Amino acid sequence: MENQHFCRQRHILLLIRDSKISNDHLLCEICNSLVAAPYYVCDSCKYYAHKSCTELPRQINHSIHPRHPLTLLTQKVFFCDSCKQNFKNTLCFSCIQCNFDLDVECAQMSNSITCPEGQEHSIRHSSHPHLLRHIERKINKDIKIECFACKSKALDSSSGVYYGCIRCNYFLHKTCIDELPQEILNTLHPHHGPLTLYARLFKCTCRLCDKKENHTFSYECPQCDFRLCVQCCLGEVRRTIRYEDHEHLLCFVEKIYTKLGDRCNAYNTNCNLPIISNCTEFDATISSAFRCLDCDFVLHLLCGPLPSTIKHEFHTDPLVLVELLIDDDSGEFYCDVCETERNPRIRAYYCHKCKYIVHVHCVISEIKNVLSGDLIDVKLKTVGEDIWTLPIEIDNAGVEALIELGRSFL
Ligand SMILES: [Zn+2]
Ligand SMILES: [Zn+2]
Ligand SMILES: [Zn+2]
Ligand SMILES: [Zn+2]
Ligand SMILES: [Zn+2]
Ligand SMILES: [Zn+2]
Ligand SMILES: [Zn+2]
Ligand SMILES: [Zn+2]
């Protein structure tokens, strides 16, 4: 006996296998299109629904979107996140919260390997909801094959081994599959187990570097909305940086894709003042930042904890981080590496013995090396950590006095 189905009033539906009466005014309650046999009916409620629609599950859990169940509903227009086709007034399995949709066929296509070993070679890959089959270039001459990972095109059989889903026009090089782990334990997000590799068409923002990408791979936490771009996930970034005013360890992000502007959370800094934030020093370092992955806390490179000393190839003595340095009374301040102007209110590296002073951005590769390293035996210094940090309005005599005081600590 077939399963029983019910209308909204919980009446048992009657199955009509073929109908002789015209029913072109009757709409399916589930998919909203015209009813045709076989269909289910509840006469007392005037409820009609296709047999195929009625038998669809109302909700599914799908490995391609593990965070939320996908709900069966009719969308006016939608774009299938697997096969990339546009659909109108059609049923789909959808996560409204994430704007993630699969058409019914894509959602229900099996991802289990049923064919016996060796007959037709298929693999399962975390990035796609369907099995990927070995693509024979000789047989599939007419389809355009492009590897989703490296974007190179398979023009003939010399271009490597490909696996793919022809329905979704989704292909991967065997070598690309081998290079990218499908699951990876990442110390940047240790609480929820491994991050999983997915192919995403839209709206991918990396939690670490803020890069926004379409048609890209993304490593995602199956339990929360944490996501990293491939470079950040496979890169060497660690949570190692302690900042005294923040409870979590910070990461040093060498290249951040959004402008921090006034989002900087630094304590005791003046980066929100136009006179400070519009100078060369900020412009030249704006692409790097310190960032917390547990909350929204973020710092400009110049406002964050920097190595208290560095070694620069052009200068024999170590250079010391200073916060305000007026090295003569000419009123003009220059960097000894690039010989362009320097804003004396902004941190710089200084050798007291040689009166040698350089912009932070002129020794940036040394700083990046230190910050990306293990930071053992490295002292980082926060803005305002030294007693000679000065309020901006202080007069010249006061500046001189405080600098002298500061020098006695160097
Ligand atoms: Zn689809
Ligand atoms: Zn969702
Ligand atoms: Zn597919
Ligand atoms: Zn990233
Ligand atoms: Zn998570
Ligand atoms: Zn935090
Ligand atoms: Zn700042
Ligand atoms: Zn310079």
Side-chain angles (χ1 to χ4, degrees):
M1 201 188 117
E2 293 198 47
N3 281 342
Q4 288 187 335
H5 296 281
F6 304 91
C7 71
R8 292 192 188 90
Q9 303 299 320
R10 305 297 299 161
H11 304 133
I12 295 174
L13 296 176
L14 186 71
L15 178 63
I16 310 292
R17 290 190 184 276
D18 64 327
S19 71
K20 288 165 196 80
I21 43 161
S22 151
N23 48 20
D24 33 67
H25 58 292
L26 302 179
L27 293 180
C28 168
E29 292 279 337
I30 298 168
C31 75
N32 265 328
S33 59
L34 287 176
V35 165
Y39 64 93
Y40 282 99
V41 59
C42 170
D43 273 328
S44 50
C45 300
K46 303 281 174 262
Y47 175 103
Y48 306 92
H50 293 114
K51 180 172 184 289
S52 56
C53 291
T54 308
E55 289 167 359
L56 284 173
R58 293 302 134 99
Q59 209 171 59
I60 57 170
N61 293 310
H62 204 297
S63 62
I64 202 71
H65 189 75
R67 283 197 288 137
H68 310 114
L70 303 178
T71 306
L72 183 68
L73 43 88
T74 308
Q75 298 260 53
K76 273 212 170 69
V77 270
F78 76 93
F79 176 92
C80 172
D81 280 280
S82 180
C83 69
K84 307 181 272 273
Q85 292 181 58
N86 280 305
F87 292 85
K88 278 190 184 145
N89 294 316
T90 318
L91 281 178
C92 69
F93 285 96
S94 185
C95 173
I96 301 276
Q97 198 178 333
C98 305
N99 199 6
F100 182 90
D101 303 304
L102 292 178
D103 67 84
V104 169
E105 199 174 332
C106 274
Q108 297 215 301
M109 255 167 84
S110 161
N111 192 13
S112 65
I113 298 175
T114 46
C115 57
E117 283 290 324
Q119 281 198 4
E120 188 186 8
H121 191 35
S122 298
I123 58 164
R124 215 182 274 128
H125 195 264
S126 67
S127 67
H128 193 72
H130 313 132
L131 285 185
L132 305 183
R133 293 181 199 290
H134 179 225
I135 303 288
E136 293 279 359
R137 194 66 261 197
K138 291 192 286 291
I139 302 168
N140 302 288
K141 280 198 206 73
D142 304 329
I143 47 173
K144 285 206 180 78
I145 296 177
E146 182 184 308
C147 173
F148 186 87
C150 70
K151 312 293 179 208
S152 74
K153 294 180 173 62
L155 301 172
D156 53 50
S157 48
S158 69
S159 38
V161 178
Y162 279 81
Y163 284 86
C165 171
I166 290 177
R167 170 183 170 82
C168 300
N169 211 355
Y170 179 78
F171 304 98
L172 291 174
H173 265 126
K174 167 127 179 34
T175 47
C176 289
I177 292 174
D178 294 342
E179 264 167 35
L180 287 171
Q182 296 178 52
E183 277 195 341
I184 189 165
L185 270 170
N186 192 305
T187 55
L188 295 177
H189 190 68
H191 331 292
H192 288 154
L195 303 179
T196 307
L197 181 67
Y198 295 101
R200 294 297 183 218
L201 304 175
F202 299 118
K203 307 168 301 239
C204 269
T205 306
C206 172
R207 179 69 180 79
L208 185 67
C209 73
D210 273 346
K211 185 160 51 166
K212 291 183 174 51
E213 291 176 291
N214 293 328
H215 285 85
T216 188
F217 274 142
S218 131
Y219 279 100
E220 298 175 14
C221 174
Q223 293 184 51
C224 71
D225 61 2
F226 186 87
R227 134 190 302 168
L228 292 175
C229 69
V230 171
Q231 289 92 320
C232 287
C233 189
L234 303 181
E236 305 274 272
V237 181
R238 288 173 282 181
R239 299 165 173 257
T240 42
I241 294 167
R242 203 167 287 288
Y243 182 70
E244 58 182 321
D245 294 312
H246 194 66
E247 59 191 303
H248 311 122
L249 288 175
L250 306 181
C251 301
F252 166 61
V253 191
E254 189 167 337
K255 179 154 176 52
I256 192 158
Y257 285 78
T258 45
K259 288 230 156 157
L260 298 191
D262 55 9
R263 278 167 62 209
C264 176
N265 298 102
Y267 170 75
N268 214 350
T269 178
N270 295 304
C271 66
N272 53 345
L273 297 178
I275 186 175
I276 301 282
S277 59
N278 291 337
C279 64
T280 333
E281 283 87 343
F282 269 89
D283 279 352
T285 53
I286 205 74
S287 64
S288 297
F290 296 96
R291 157 162 252 186
C292 179
L293 291 179
D294 294 320
C295 68
D296 288 334
F297 190 90
V298 63
L299 300 172
H300 287 119
L301 178 84
L302 279 179
C303 302
L306 293 179
S308 61
T309 58
I310 54 146
K311 192 68 203 71
H312 184 50
E313 53 173 333
F314 297 156
H315 198 82
T316 27
D317 310 309
L319 303 175
V320 177
L321 181 66
V322 290
E323 295 202 7
L324 185 149
L325 202 63
I326 295 169
D327 39 5
D328 58 41
D329 48 16
S330 66
E332 290 177 356
F333 312 102
Y334 291 94
C335 164
D336 291 315
V337 168
C338 69
E339 300 187 333
T340 64
E341 271 195 88
R342 190 173 65 72
N343 184 331
R345 293 185 180 88
I346 291 186
R347 304 163 102 187
Y349 280 92
Y350 182 57
C351 170
H352 180 51
K353 192 176 94 193
C354 313
K355 303 279 178 285
Y356 181 84
I357 183 151
V358 299
H359 286 127
V360 166
H361 59 264
C362 288
V363 289
I364 193 72
S365 54
E366 284 80 0
I367 296 173
K368 285 177 176 175
N369 281 343
V370 173
L371 292 175
S372 310
D374 55 20
L375 298 180
I376 294 167
D377 300 330
V378 174
K379 176 159 168 36
L380 300 180
K381 230 158 70 172
T382 301
V383 180
E385 202 174 311
D386 298 309
I387 53 166
W388 65 92
T389 308
L390 299 178
I392 278 177
E393 305 76 9
I394 202 154
D395 66 36
N396 262 346
V399 167
E400 284 305 324
L402 279 158
I403 286 174
E404 272 320 303
L405 179 62
R407 277 178 188 158
S408 62
F409 286 83
L410 292 179

